[in-house]
Amino acid sequence: MLDSADKVRESMTVVSDPLSDALELVRARCRITGGLRAGGRWSVRFRPQVPVKIDAVVEGHCWLLADGQQPMLLEAGDAVVLSQSGAFVLCSDPSVPPADPDEALVRSGGPLAQVGSADEVVIVGGHVEVDSGGEELLLPLLPRVTRVASRSPESAELRSLLQRLLAETTADRPGAAFAAAQYAQLLLVQVLRLAMEQEAAAQPGWLSLLTDLALRPAVTLMHDKPGYAWGLAELASATSMSRSTFATRFRATAGQPPLAYLTRWRMRLAERALRDEDMTIAALAAELGYASESSFSHAFQRTIGTTPGRYRSAARARPRSSSALTG
């Protein structure tokens, strides 16, 4: 048992970034799949088939009409993330009747389709993909619509990122696809940061937890050493709070007690190991801090709903899945 907050902090050999930890764990990635140029009077209704879409206005402006939301004017430099939002419309004016993409978009063979009679607006679009299990961690915590506004403090960085993303997406240069993928990842991080800053306080959960700087030392400890037998007193000491204050604040922020969060994090790590690694279940149990394979298996089944062995067999019997949304 560590004696003080100083000893707890000294045990941290690597400075952890919980958001990066989580994105890496679920292999979150942004895929830019295309976009459109538009002008005149135009309106296109999109019907995404999977949970999360990202659209960014690189030039001009347009309206976004999403089910259950007020019409939103998007300007150059704005990006928007739509999470489980159903159908939505991009248009020059809300009064223009929308058409389906097959009717409105003229495909040229390049990454950008044409709609309308001019090139007043340029929009790039894509989707977020995560590995199996990642939806529960990431997607339900995003607001239905998150806007990264061009007038926000991040506007200069975002505008530069979008311009580079458009250049690489439309360029026929060596390495363009690889470069565009890297810029797409940065776009994903930017919009998640904004969601954390603007929306996390609206509901308890993972994003709210990651924005609470006072709780971050405890979260960092759990991420850095998930196999350690963390106790409530040690975690509270790392945050310079009393046990009761820490426990109350953590539960109100994360929507679950600290040790329940630790168990969930261990199970996410276990899922990844069972999918991707060949270590025995007994070795995995010991690595994650369980005294026996049996105690680990019971915890895994209670949390995930199946045994570790059955999870591994099922995961390896099917192709790796992802949450994708056509762009």
Side-chain angles (χ1 to χ4, degrees), residues 20-292:
S20 296
D21 290 346
L23 294 178
E24 181 180 359
L25 179 66
V26 301
R27 293 192 178 97
R29 52 218 175 264
C30 181
R31 306 284 193 198
I32 298 301
T33 54
L36 60 86
R37 298 183 185 274
R41 289 176 58 80
W42 60 276
S43 181
V44 184
R45 183 185 301 277
F46 298 92
R47 294 180 173 85
Q49 300 300 310
V50 288
V52 178
K53 180 169 175 55
I54 294 180
D55 282 309
V57 180
V58 184
E59 299 175 8
H61 63 271
C62 69
W63 287 89
L64 169 72
L65 312 178
D67 291 348
Q69 305 290 318
Q70 291 294 319
M72 183 182 298
L73 180 63
L74 303 178
E75 301 175 339
D78 286 359
V80 64
V81 180
L82 298 107
S83 175
Q84 307 179 77
S85 61
F88 69 94
V89 173
L90 295 175
C91 60
S92 61
D93 188 286
S95 65
V96 179
D100 289 333
D102 290 343
E103 301 172 359
L105 300 181
V106 178
R107 307 285 180 178
S108 62
L112 300 182
Q114 179 71 45
V115 58
S117 58
D119 292 343
E120 299 167 353
V121 186
V122 176
I123 302 168
V124 294
H127 59 263
V128 175
E129 298 176 351
V130 293
D131 275 359
S132 175
E135 294 92 339
E136 181 183 346
L137 179 67
L138 177 63
L139 305 184
L141 302 176
L142 291 172
R144 293 186 65 191
V145 178
T146 302
R147 179 184 181 185
V148 182
S150 61
R151 298 174 184 175
S152 68
E154 301 87 354
S155 61
E157 181 179 353
L158 181 63
R159 186 181 294 271
S160 175
L161 174 60
L162 291 174
Q163 291 290 350
R164 292 185 179 189
L165 181 57
L166 177 64
E168 296 295 347
T169 301
T170 58
D172 185 17
R173 296 186 293 177
F178 181 84
Q182 311 315 306
Y183 289 132
Q185 291 300 92
L186 292 176
L187 178 62
L188 174 60
V189 172
Q190 284 288 84
V191 297
L192 285 177
R193 284 172 176 168
L194 190 82
M196 290 166 63
E197 293 168 4
Q198 293 187 347
E199 302 288 349
Q203 57 180 333
W206 175 64
L207 289 179
S208 296
L209 179 62
L210 298 189
T211 63
D212 193 320
L213 296 180
L215 294 174
R216 181 172 292 181
V219 178
T220 297
L221 288 174
M222 290 187 277
H223 282 212
D224 278 353
K225 294 189 175 182
Y228 182 78
W230 295 110
L232 191 61
E234 291 172 297
L235 296 173
S237 179
T239 64
S240 300
M241 299 180 194
S242 69
R243 289 179 55 177
S244 60
T245 299
F246 169 71
T248 300
R249 179 163 178 165
F250 196 104
R251 182 164 195 149
T253 303
Q256 58 186 315
L259 298 185
Y261 175 86
L262 175 60
T263 297
R264 294 295 300 183
W265 183 252
R266 286 171 171 170
M267 295 304 106
R268 291 298 174 214
L269 295 172
E271 286 180 307
R272 180 176 65 180
L274 291 168
R275 288 195 309 266
D276 300 343
E277 301 176 18
D278 293 322
M279 70 169 62
T280 65
I281 293 175
L284 179 58
E287 184 174 285
L288 293 176
Y290 288 89
S292 67

Side-chain angles (χ1 to χ4, degrees), residues 277-305:
E277 301 176 18
D278 293 322
M279 70 169 62
T280 65
I281 293 175
L284 179 58
E287 184 174 285
L288 293 176
Y290 288 89
S292 67
E293 179 178 343
S294 176
S295 61
F296 166 69
S297 296
H298 286 149
F300 190 92
Q301 185 165 14
R302 185 170 59 251
T303 305
I304 306 302

